[in-house]
Amino acid sequence: MLGAMIKPVRPPRKRAAALLAWYDANRRDLPWRARPGEAPDPYAVWLSEIMLQQTTVATVKGYFARFLARWPTVEALAAAPPDEILAAWAGLGYYARARNLHACAVRVAQAHGGRFPQSEEELRALPGLGPYTAAAVAAIAFDAPCAAVDGNVERVMTRLHAIAAPLRAAKPLIRARTEEMLPPARAGDYAQALMDLGATICTPRAPACGACPLAPDCAAFAAGAAEAYPVKAKKAEKPKRRGAIFILRRGDAAMVTRRPPKGLFGGMTAFPATPFTRDVAPGDWLDFAPCAADWRTLPEPVAHVFTHFALQATVFVAKTRKVSPPGVDCRWAAAGDLDKEGLPTLMRKAAARAGLL
DNA sequence: CAGCCGTGGCC
DNA sequence: TGGCCAAGGCT
């Protein structure tokens, strides 16, 4: 009877074997993923990992295909004008990723002879690669024995071990639990297996525990409380802000400008606008117009929700006959070419509202 | 180190 | 409909 109260959990190595067996039978076929037995392309692995940061697989697929077709190698990407990369990234969000993408490509091309370094430490030193991405590229592209801990893994591990501490405090334990299962070989498959499990079985809501290869070991499942994990801190209330976007028409063209290199939409092409990082009172809006003109507001403001605030942007439109754009970094963009300019989604909404798209 | 940084889809 | 979520990194 001794031990009758102890849950018969398999040792980490057995759990990993069960996970890898499940992965071999259920792995997702993704465009950036090497087929079994084929060598992964480190460039494709890296590019996909950057795009997938806080971004869904469905959204990334189109961007990944376009980038890989246009810039097939890291050298090609390094040689591309940063503006073209930013424009191609438009709509994907978190534009610092695009700036770091190019900076990283240049570094790999120049300092590493066009080959990605294989160690987690060297990868971690590249722009845009944090703890997760460095480990993921090392494991997936080079089979280095590294544990890549992302949101999927955090969910799987907090459930597997019923880790009730809030996520931030739980991170060291989650890492230890992930590393203890790391198989000596197949580190890349292990990383991808955990992500596939998190994406298809161990989902945030309504997890399919009945189909989970780790269910026999899962403390949360045993307690019937899988959905209770991970425990997250309360989120701050999302502020509501107001602002304005200015569309200056000159015949068929509209004035666009280059956003400052950092901050919201850093480096992107956009219409002139009030600051969005704070609420700007309607009475102050015209202070930020690119020039004096007969500015008319469109009837309905454009609504756009960012990660940490919700914006209601009133769109102003005016016509001018001046030949030269009124500001530094300003130029005229033909309405028919606006698609190629690579406008962030908020600016596309404004253009559409003004009838330019 | 908590705040900043996009977007689209889901229920 | 609004909150939550998705393969995080930077400062």
Side-chain angles (χ1 to χ4, degrees):
Chain A
M1 295 304 289
L2 191 64
M5 301 295 288
I6 298 174
K7 193 168 175 295
V9 171
R10 295 174 289 186
R13 177 147 311 181
K14 295 276 192 186
R15 299 200 302 266
L19 176 67
L20 286 170
W22 172 85
Y23 179 69
D24 288 336
N26 298 282
R27 67 197 298 279
R28 289 178 294 173
D29 195 6
L30 299 171
W32 43 85
R33 209 172 251 188
R35 298 299 185 85
E38 289 182 358
D41 174 5
Y43 171 65
V45 171
W46 162 74
L47 179 61
S48 69
E49 287 298 339
I50 302 300
M51 288 184 167
L52 286 163
Q53 288 168 4
Q54 298 290 285
T55 309
T56 59
V57 166
T59 299
V60 164
K61 279 182 176 173
Y63 284 87
F64 177 81
R66 286 190 292 276
F67 267 69
L68 205 62
R70 186 167 173 182
W71 300 294
T73 65
V74 68
E75 291 96 334
L77 193 65
D83 290 356
E84 289 186 15
I85 295 176
L86 281 172
W89 196 275
L92 200 51
Y94 287 140
Y95 298 102
R97 290 186 295 173
R99 287 179 262 130
N100 286 329
L101 190 79
H102 184 252
C104 181
V106 168
R107 185 90 66 82
V108 170
Q110 292 183 350
H112 298 276
R115 294 188 171 270
F116 279 85
Q118 301 194 14
S119 77
E120 183 178 10
E121 182 184 354
E122 286 177 290
L123 288 163
R124 177 69 183 81
L126 295 170
L129 283 83
Y132 161 73
T133 307
V137 172
I140 297 171
F142 304 113
D143 239 4
C146 304
V149 181
D150 72 335
N152 287 304
V153 177
E154 287 173 349
R155 190 167 57 254
V156 169
M157 290 299 163
T158 52
R159 287 175 177 174
L160 189 58
H161 302 286
I163 299 173
L167 212 43
R168 177 164 285 283
K171 291 203 183 232
L173 179 55
I174 292 170
R175 168 158 296 282
R177 292 304 200 183
T178 308
E179 287 177 347
E180 78 179 2
M181 274 179 65
L182 183 65
R186 301 190 66 185
D189 286 345
Y190 174 62
Q192 294 176 98
L194 284 174
M195 290 178 219
D196 280 16
L197 190 73
T200 65
I201 303 289
C202 195
T203 50
R205 292 184 307 268
C209 300
C212 181
L214 299 182
D217 314 293
C218 185
F221 175 62
E227 271 192 88
Y229 302 89
V231 176
K232 297 191 174 180
K234 295 174 192 170
K235 304 208 168 169
E237 197 167 326
K238 190 167 291 192
K240 299 187 195 317
R241 293 179 185 161
R242 298 159 298 173
I245 297 170
F246 300 98
I247 299 182
L248 186 63
R249 300 291 305 271
R250 180 180 176 278
D252 183 46
M255 199 190 89
V256 294
T257 184
R258 175 76 53 191
R259 301 272 305 181
K262 294 188 176 182
L264 192 69
F265 303 140
M268 299 294 289
T269 298
F271 301 115
T274 65
F276 297 132
T277 45
R278 61 182 173 84
D279 185 70
V280 180
D284 297 332
W285 285 344
L286 284 178
D287 295 347
F288 298 93
C291 63
D294 183 21
W295 291 106
R296 307 289 181 94
T297 65
L298 297 184
E300 286 296 315
V302 168
H304 195 71
V305 181
F306 296 91
T307 304
H308 54 296
F309 67 96
L311 178 69
Q312 294 247 25
T314 296
V315 181
F316 283 80
V317 178
K319 295 183 193 302
T320 185
R321 298 178 61 179
K322 293 182 180 178
V323 174
S324 57
V328 194
D329 270 345
C330 291
R331 59 190 173 80
W332 298 108
D337 291 341
L338 226 41
D339 264 329
K340 314 174 199 165
E341 296 288 345
L343 297 176
T345 297
L346 169 65
M347 298 296 165
R348 288 188 62 87
K349 287 183 182 177
R353 186 63 57 90
L356 288 175
L357 286 179

